[in-house]
């Protein structure tokens, strides 16, 4: 295998199948300098979320791939394997599916911004409840979308 590219794509290619065998999606690979070392951050996710056991399994799998290849070269590095986190943008249909019933803030390509709750999604787009009215958006119309943190959300009787 070849050495890692500056954007980490070589690592992502090498990890994707191994993580998929564990039922995990590779969400991000970030390689950043940290003094004389580098930090390799690998984010994973799956339907239903990831547990600490999933993170431990993923860490072992990633370490195994890196130990068996020269992708990281000779320079020391620190490996961090984590879950996707709510601060990452929704960019794939699976992200929307996994965030059903969550509040999202969406910036559309036409400059419009809206906030709504994900009610449904498929491979082509998402339906949001925006102030009590359904609004269908195609993924091609979305510039950026982020899950909003809700500390005091009131649950309906149906959700409780």
């Amino acid at each position: 295998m070849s050495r890692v590219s500056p954007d980490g794509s070589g690592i992502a290619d090498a990890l994707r199948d191994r993580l998929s065998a564990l039922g995990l999606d590779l969400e991000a690979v970030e390689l950043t300098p940290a003094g004389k070392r580098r930090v390799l951050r690998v984010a994973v996710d799956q339907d239903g979320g990831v547990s600490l056991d999933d993170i431990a399994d993923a860490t072992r799998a990633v370490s195994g791939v890196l130990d068996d290849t020269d992708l990281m070269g000779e320079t020391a590095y620190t490996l961090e394997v984590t879950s996707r986190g709510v601060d990452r943008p929704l960019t794939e249909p699976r992200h929307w599916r996994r965030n059903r019933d969550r509040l999202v803030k969406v910036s559309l390509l036409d400059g419009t911004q809206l906030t709504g709750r994900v009610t449904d999604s498929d491979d082509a787009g998402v339906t949001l409840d925006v102030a009590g009215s359904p609004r269908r958006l195609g993924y091609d119309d979305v510039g950026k979308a982020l899950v909003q943190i809700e500390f005091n959300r009131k649950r309906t009787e149906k959700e409780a």
Side-chain angles (χ1 to χ4, degrees):
M1 288 194 171
S2 62
R3 280 202 146 71
V4 66
S5 61
D7 66 358
S9 61
I11 295 172
D13 293 341
L15 297 179
R16 195 166 279 110
D17 289 343
R18 184 79 62 100
L19 292 169
S20 180
L22 297 173
L24 298 169
D25 293 315
L26 177 62
E27 293 294 340
V29 173
E30 299 170 356
L31 185 61
T32 55
K36 294 181 181 181
R37 304 175 70 83
R38 296 171 293 169
V39 176
L40 176 62
R41 288 182 187 89
V42 177
V44 297
D45 198 10
Q46 68 180 346
D47 287 352
V50 293
S51 67
L52 289 176
D53 289 338
D54 295 325
I55 295 294
D57 292 343
T59 300
R60 284 189 289 276
V62 171
S63 291
V65 169
L66 297 177
D67 290 346
D68 294 343
T69 65
D70 68 346
L71 283 169
M72 293 301 292
E74 299 297 320
T75 306
Y77 66 92
T78 299
L79 173 62
E80 295 178 5
V81 178
T82 185
S83 63
R84 186 169 183 280
V86 295
D87 59 334
R88 294 195 182 266
L90 305 177
T91 58
E92 301 287 334
R94 69 177 178 261
H95 299 159
W96 294 92
R97 181 183 73 242
R98 291 175 180 161
N99 283 286
R100 185 182 178 118
D101 198 42
R102 302 284 304 267
L103 192 66
V104 295
K105 183 175 183 179
V106 180
S107 298
L108 299 175
L109 293 177
D110 68 4
T112 307
Q113 290 193 355
L114 54 96
T115 301
R117 193 164 304 283
V118 178
T119 59
D120 193 25
S121 65
D122 55 32
D123 289 339
V126 61
T127 302
L128 301 178
D129 178 337
V130 179
S133 298
R135 172 92 185 261
R136 178 73 180 174
L137 302 173
Y139 297 130
D140 292 343
D141 298 323
V142 175
K144 185 175 182 179
L146 293 170
V147 173
Q148 301 299 289
I149 308 281
E150 296 180 90
F151 292 107
N152 295 315
R153 179 175 177 207
K154 294 182 184 193
R155 299 269 180 192
T156 64
E157 212 173 281
K158 181 179 167 184
E159 295 173 318

